[in-house]
Amino acid sequence: MSAPIQRCKLCQTRSKSLLFSQLRYCNKSFSSSCKLNSATKHNQVEAWQPVIGLEIHAQIKANSKLFSRANTIFGGPTNSQVAFLDAALPGTLPVLNRRCVEAGVITALALGCQINKVSRFDRKHYFYADLPAGYQITQQNNAIANNGRFHYVQYGNKESDIREKAVTILQLQLEQDSGKSLHDDLDKQSLIDLNRAGCGLMEIVTAPEFHSGDEARSFVRDLRQLLVTLGTCDGKMSEGSLRVDANISVHKPGQPLGERAEVKNLNSLSSLKKTIEFEIKRQIAVIESGGRVINETRSFDLDTGETLPMRDKEVQLDYRFMPEPNLPPLRLYHRSDLKGAMHGDKVFIDDLEKNMPVLPQERRGNLMQNYGISMYKAAFIVTENLQDIYEELVSTRNVEAFTNFFINTVAARLLANELTLDQCPIPGKHIGYIYDQYKEENINLTVAEKLIDTLLADSSVDPKEHIRLENLWQINDVAQLTELCKTIIAENPKAVSKLKRGKDRAMNTLMASARKATGDRGNTRIINRIFKELIAQSEGRD
Amino acid sequence: MAHYACMFVIRSNQICSRLLNRQLFQCREKFKLPDKPEWIEIDPKALPPETVLDDSTIQLIERLSLVDFNNKEGVERLKSAIKYADQLCVVNTEGLEPMYSVQEHEELFLDEDVVREGNCKQEILRNAVKVEEDYFVTPPGNIPLKQKKLFDKEGS
C-alpha cells in the first residue's frame, strides 16, 4: 500500500518540501505566492507577529579561567586544563580573573551600557554531570552592566534594501561555563571533559525586539564582529566561542505576548535563522490548530533547523538563586573616585574607555561620511576588514570608480580565494598601481584580476615587472586590432551573417575568438567597436 | 586584728567588684546583648499561613535538592523548619538595604591572567568511579527520579 498523499493544510499543494511533515504546511503557505491567497486565510497567517529575544554566551578571550588559573585553550588534552576548583574539589575558593572583568567592561562600553560600579555574584543551582559543583557562579540580579543599545545592519535582496536597526541590550553579566559532555547513546553513558568548566563567559541578554530570523542573524553577525574587533572574544562559533539561545513567541499585534519557547545552543549563523523561522511557523501552526504553545526548552536539528522537544522535559527547573557567599562585591572605579596614583590593583573604567579600538559601526559611518559611499559598500568594506587599505588608496582617486573596482575586483578575488588581507598582505601601492593601469586602459579587467591572484599567491611580486615579463599590456593599437578583426570576420562567416540578421548574441563568438587571438589582452571596448564598424561597412557594401 | 583583715579583704573585694562592674557596665553599653533575656512572644496570627506540602511539592523538592525525605517524620521535620523560618516574616525591614554578606566592605581581589593551575589530569581523575579514555563516565542525561510514595510510612 502506497503512502497517503501529503498535502499542505492551507493551500492543498502536494509539496515535496513538506518540511514540517508532522504539521503539513508547505513553505509556500507563508509567502505571497501561496495558491490559496484568499484574503481571510492568508491574512490570518500574515497577521502573526513573531517576537524574539536572544541570550548570547560569548567565551571571554583570556589565558586562564574566570575563577581559577587553569588554561583555556580549545582542544587541549582531555581533563588536562582542570584546576581543583573547576572539579569542585572541597577546600577550594574562587579567585576572580582581572582580565575577564576588563573584557566585560570593554564590551559593555562598546554596547553603550550603563556600567554598574558595584556588582555581585550569585549561585545558580541545577544538577548536571558537566557542572561538578552543582551550581554555576553567575550574576543574575546585580550584573556588571545593563541598558545598552546596539546598532546592526540588515541586508535585503538589493543593495539599496540595506537597513540599520537597533536593539536594546538588557544585561551583560559574567558567568562560568560548564564542562563538555559527549553522549554515548550506544553504551547509555555520558563522557565528561572539564577543560571548559569554569571558563569565563559574557552573557549578553537582548530585549525581545527581533521580529524575524534574519534580524536575529544580522544582529549576531554584527555582534560577533564587534567582539572580535574589541579582542574580548575570538568569535569562533564552530569552536563554541559564541553560542546563542533564542526565546521565541508569536502574537497578533495589539494582543498580549504569546507563550515563549526556548531553543538553546545555536552555534552557527545559518542554523540560527533556519531554526527561528521553523519555530515561528511551528508555533503558528500549533495555535491555529487549536493547541497551546508550551513554555519549554527545545533542541534543534543542525541540518533542517527543525526544533524538537528535549528528552528530559519532565525536569522542572527552579534555580534557587542565592548570593555567592565566597565573593565580596565587585567594585569598579573612575579615576576621579580615588585620589592618588597608588591604586594599581583596581579596575578603572576611564582607562579601559581610553584604550578602546574604533568600533565597526563608527568606521562604517566614517567611510560613508568622508567619501559619500553607500551604507552597503561601507558595511562590506568594514566587514571584510579592508577599511585601512581602502582609505589609503581612495583618497587620491575617483571615489566611485575606485570603490567599484575595490569591491568588485580586489575584494571579490580575496573572497574567491577564501583569503583575508591579514593572511596575505598585498602592499597598498601595488593595488593602487593595478587600478591606475586599468583606469588608463593599459591593462584590461581580466589581467587586473589575474594580477591580484598572483599577488595573493606571492605578495613580493612587483606588478609592473610581472606585466612586462608576461607581456600583459593591453593592446590598444587600432590598426593592429582592425587587422585582427578582419581576419576573424573572414573566419566566421556564419556568426557574421547571424549578426547582420540582428542576432546580437553572435557577437560573443567573434569576441571570444578575438580574446583567444590576443591572449586576453585586447581592449574589448575597442574590439567590439571595430567589429561593429567593419560589419556595418560590409553591410553598406553588400 | 583578724576582724580588720577580713573587713579589709571584704572591703577591697567590694571596691574591686564595683570597679569591675563599672568597667563591665561601660563595656556592656557597647554590647548589643541585653542584661536580662528580652523574650518577645510572636503572635501566631501575624505569621503567614502554614505551607501545605502535598506529594507533588515533596517530589519537586526532592528532585531539585536531591535530598531524600524518606518518610513521614522527615516531612514533618521539613514542615517545622519552614514554620520556624516563617517567623522572619514578622521582622520589619522597610527602608533597609539587604545585607548579603558580612564581607560587604572587603576588597574583591583581582588576580592576574596567568596560567598557574591545571595540568594534573591524574589527580583530577583519581576519585572517579569510572574513567574512559581520560573522560569521566556518568549516567546519561537527566534521569527522572523514581516517584515513590513513602511519606505515609512511619519510622525509617
Side-chain angles (χ1 to χ4, degrees):
Chain A
M1 186 149 106
S2 61
I5 294 172
Q6 299 257 59
R7 287 185 185 277
C8 166
K9 271 197 226 177
L10 264 191
C11 68
Q12 299 305 305
T13 326
R14 186 157 33 128
S15 172
K16 277 187 224 154
S17 63
L18 276 178
L19 186 63
F20 327 117
S21 49
Q22 323 100 285
L23 307 166
R24 303 223 322 265
Y25 279 95
C26 72
N27 277 334
K28 284 215 209 100
S29 308
F30 300 94
S31 75
S32 53
S33 58
C34 172
K35 267 191 209 160
L36 194 61
N37 220 348
S38 76
T40 37
K41 283 223 169 117
H42 203 59
N43 282 345
Q44 259 178 14
V45 169
E46 277 196 333
W48 289 105
Q49 165 89 297
V51 174
I52 303 152
L54 298 177
E55 289 166 15
I56 292 98
H57 295 88
Q59 201 164 59
I60 298 176
K61 194 170 165 190
N63 299 326
S64 61
K65 298 184 178 179
L66 185 60
F67 291 114
S68 77
R69 300 290 86 77
N71 207 336
T72 53
I73 294 178
F74 178 79
T78 310
N79 282 319
S80 63
Q81 292 171 195
V82 185
F84 288 174
L85 176 85
D86 307 323
L89 297 183
T92 55
L93 287 171
V95 182
L96 185 53
N97 182 340
R98 170 190 215 91
R99 158 70 186 157
C100 291
V101 177
E102 291 176 349
V105 175
I106 291 168
T107 308
L109 288 170
L111 292 173
C113 293
Q114 184 78 24
I115 307 279
N116 297 323
K117 290 167 88 166
V118 181
S119 57
R120 296 169 204 278
F121 289 96
D122 301 311
R123 287 188 184 178
K124 179 177 176 181
H125 300 82
Y126 63 95
F127 290 109
Y128 206 73
D130 63 12
L131 198 69
Y135 61 86
Q136 173 196 34
I137 302 180
T138 174
Q139 291 185 307
Q140 184 71 13
N141 299 319
N142 300 93
I144 199 169
N146 293 98
N147 280 333
R149 196 135 176 90
F150 182 59
H151 295 264
Y152 62 98
V153 157
Q154 188 185 16
Y155 296 99
N157 290 327
K158 299 198 293 282
E159 263 190 43
S160 51
D161 288 339
I162 191 173
R163 293 276 175 276
E164 189 177 88
K165 295 197 170 172
V167 67
T168 307
I169 305 292
L170 292 177
Q171 179 151 298
L172 188 146
Q173 63 198 56
L174 297 173
E175 59 182 33
Q176 287 178 309
D177 207 348
S178 63
K180 215 182 295 194
S181 47
L182 305 171
H183 298 292
D184 184 351
D185 285 325
L186 206 62
D187 291 326
K188 296 273 190 296
Q189 62 188 19
S190 290
L191 303 173
I192 309 292
D193 176 10
L194 295 178
N195 278 354
R196 202 184 66 181
C199 282
L201 292 177
M202 290 182 287
E203 177 168 341
I204 299 169
V205 184
T206 75
E209 292 172 1
F210 300 108
H211 299 297
S212 72
D214 194 51
E215 278 186 4
R217 182 185 57 172
S218 306
F219 165 78
V220 174
R221 188 200 61 226
D222 282 0
L223 177 70
R224 188 193 154 279
Q225 187 187 20
L226 176 71
L227 295 175
V228 172
T229 307
L230 292 172
T232 54
C233 174
D234 66 12
K236 293 183 186 166
M237 292 184 84
S238 54
E239 290 182 2
S241 301
L242 196 67
R243 294 167 337 237
V244 183
D245 298 346
N247 291 297
I248 305 156
S249 72
V250 294
H251 75 131
K252 296 252 171 82
Q255 291 189 357
L257 293 175
E259 192 70 58
R260 65 182 159 92
E262 185 180 1
V263 187
K264 287 185 85 71
N265 284 335
L266 296 154
N267 58 1
S268 82
L269 291 175
S270 58
S271 67
L272 177 71
K273 181 178 170 201
K274 254 195 284 192
T275 308
I276 291 179
E277 285 177 350
F278 176 91
E279 181 60 19
I280 292 169
K281 291 175 188 175
R282 182 195 75 90
Q283 290 193 4
I284 293 175
V286 162
I287 298 175
E288 286 196 336
S289 58
R292 271 179 52 242
V293 176
I294 309 171
N295 181 352
E296 60 175 343
T297 308
R298 296 175 74 87
S299 60
F300 66 100
D301 182 309
L302 262 171
D303 303 308
T304 60
E306 286 184 27
T307 65
L308 313 144
M310 293 182 88
R311 277 172 302 159
D312 36 24
K313 66 174 176 176
E314 316 95 65
V315 177
Q316 236 181 312
L317 288 170
D318 175 355
Y319 293 114
R320 294 172 292 142
F321 286 99
M322 75 177 232
E324 167 58 55
N326 291 325
L327 295 169
L330 170 64
R331 292 179 206 278
L332 302 167
Y333 300 91
H334 284 114
R335 282 277 169 192
S336 50
D337 296 333
L338 301 168
K339 293 168 193 67
M342 301 290 291
H343 296 288
D345 51 337
K346 306 217 188 321
V347 173
F348 288 100
I349 303 172
D350 338 54
D351 292 354
L352 295 171
E353 209 166 2
K354 234 187 328 182
N355 294 327
M356 286 243 287
V358 185
L359 304 182
Q361 185 196 341
E362 210 181 313
R363 294 213 93 130
R364 206 167 54 223
N366 287 345
L367 285 179
M368 285 167 68
Q369 198 172 19
N370 296 345
Y371 306 108
I373 58 176
S374 72
M375 189 191 291
Y376 177 86
K377 295 197 171 100
F380 179 87
I381 292 172
V382 171
T383 307
E384 298 304 319
N385 209 11
L386 295 169
Q387 62 272 3
D388 289 328
I389 203 171
Y390 172 77
E391 287 200 271
E392 180 191 326
L393 296 170
V394 77
S395 38
T396 48
R397 295 176 172 83
N398 174 284
V399 173
E400 192 173 332
F402 179 74
T403 310
N404 286 335
F405 178 81
F406 190 75
I407 291 182
N408 297 329
T409 309
V410 180
R413 292 322 299 161
L414 272 172
L415 290 173
N417 286 304
E418 291 185 358
L419 294 166
T420 64
L421 214 57
D422 299 326
Q423 290 167 322
C424 2
I426 307 178
K429 59 177 185 196
H430 287 342
I431 297 183
Y433 178 78
I434 295 173
Y435 169 75
D436 293 333
Q437 294 307 309
Y438 164 68
K439 202 77 191 94
E440 290 166 26
E441 295 199 4
N442 292 335
I443 56 173
N444 66 21
L445 196 58
T446 324
V447 169
E449 286 177 354
K450 282 194 196 151
L451 276 173
I452 296 193
D453 282 343
T454 314
L455 281 173
L456 282 173
D458 179 1
S459 58
S460 64
V461 168
D462 177 23
K464 190 170 178 183
E465 266 306 297
H466 189 82
I467 295 173
R468 190 184 66 80
L469 282 170
E470 303 286 320
N471 192 13
L472 297 172
W473 295 113
Q474 184 162 250
I475 302 172
N476 292 326
D477 183 356
V478 177
Q480 183 185 352
L481 289 174
T482 313
E483 279 310 307
L484 178 71
C485 290
K486 282 183 184 166
T487 323
I488 293 179
I489 285 177
E491 289 171 359
N492 290 288
K494 259 209 242 173
V496 173
S497 62
K498 270 196 198 168
L499 260 176
K500 286 186 185 173
R501 283 196 309 248
K503 293 207 190 311
D504 292 327
R505 285 224 288 198
M507 179 61 85
N508 292 347
T509 327
L510 298 176
M511 293 300 294
S513 306
R515 272 201 293 275
K516 214 164 122 192
T518 59
D520 241 336
R521 295 182 294 130
N523 186 324
T524 47
R525 191 176 51 83
I526 295 180
I527 293 176
N528 197 307
R529 182 171 53 95
I530 294 175
F531 273 133
K532 288 201 173 114
E533 280 173 0
L534 287 175
I535 291 174
Q537 277 174 10
S538 70
E539 260 184 6
R541 278 201 298 272
D542 289 342
Chain B
M1 188 63 179
H3 171 74
Y4 284 121
C6 284
M7 287 300 288
F8 177 74
V9 168
I10 291 168
R11 188 85 184 115
S12 58
N13 270 340
Q14 283 175 336
I15 293 171
C16 275
S17 60
R18 205 173 297 155
L19 276 170
L20 278 169
N21 270 336
R22 195 177 301 145
Q23 276 184 332
L24 274 172
F25 178 71
Q26 283 166 346
C27 285
R28 261 201 212 119
E29 282 189 321
K30 296 177 188 147
F31 285 158
K32 305 293 183 211
L33 290 172
D35 283 340
K36 294 191 271 300
E38 292 171 5
W39 197 256
I40 302 173
E41 280 295 332
I42 295 183
D43 180 11
K45 290 194 213 63
L47 292 174
E50 189 168 320
T51 317
V52 173
L53 292 173
D54 55 357
D55 276 342
S56 59
T57 314
I58 301 283
Q59 282 167 16
L60 177 65
I61 297 175
E62 285 200 335
R63 214 167 27 225
L64 288 177
S65 64
L66 293 187
V67 172
D68 185 8
F69 291 109
N70 225 349
N71 53 25
K72 202 169 179 191
E73 195 184 305
V75 177
E76 283 305 315
R77 207 174 299 150
L78 175 65
K79 280 190 186 159
S80 66
I82 296 175
K83 195 169 171 189
Y84 186 76
D86 277 341
Q87 294 177 93
L88 286 172
C89 297
V90 174
V91 180
N92 182 10
T93 55
E94 199 162 318
L96 291 174
E97 281 294 311
M99 183 172 95
Y100 296 108
S101 158
V102 289
Q103 299 174 312
E104 186 71 14
H105 296 292
E106 293 291 317
E107 272 298 315
L108 175 56
F109 175 69
L110 296 172
D111 204 4
E112 291 307 311
D113 184 26
V114 173
V115 176
R116 266 187 269 113
E117 293 175 298
N119 208 13
C120 49
K121 183 177 61 181
Q122 294 309 322
E123 281 157 301
I124 295 289
L125 294 173
R126 203 166 68 189
N127 288 335
V129 171
K130 196 171 167 199
V131 172
E132 190 172 304
E133 281 182 39
D134 293 338
Y135 286 93
F136 292 96
V137 179
T138 70
N142 271 334
I143 311 172
L145 285 180
K146 285 194 276 284
Q147 311 289 281
K148 50 183 170 52
K149 273 195 167 195
L150 291 176
F151 316 120
D152 299 324
K153 271 198 199 160
E154 297 288 340
S156 64

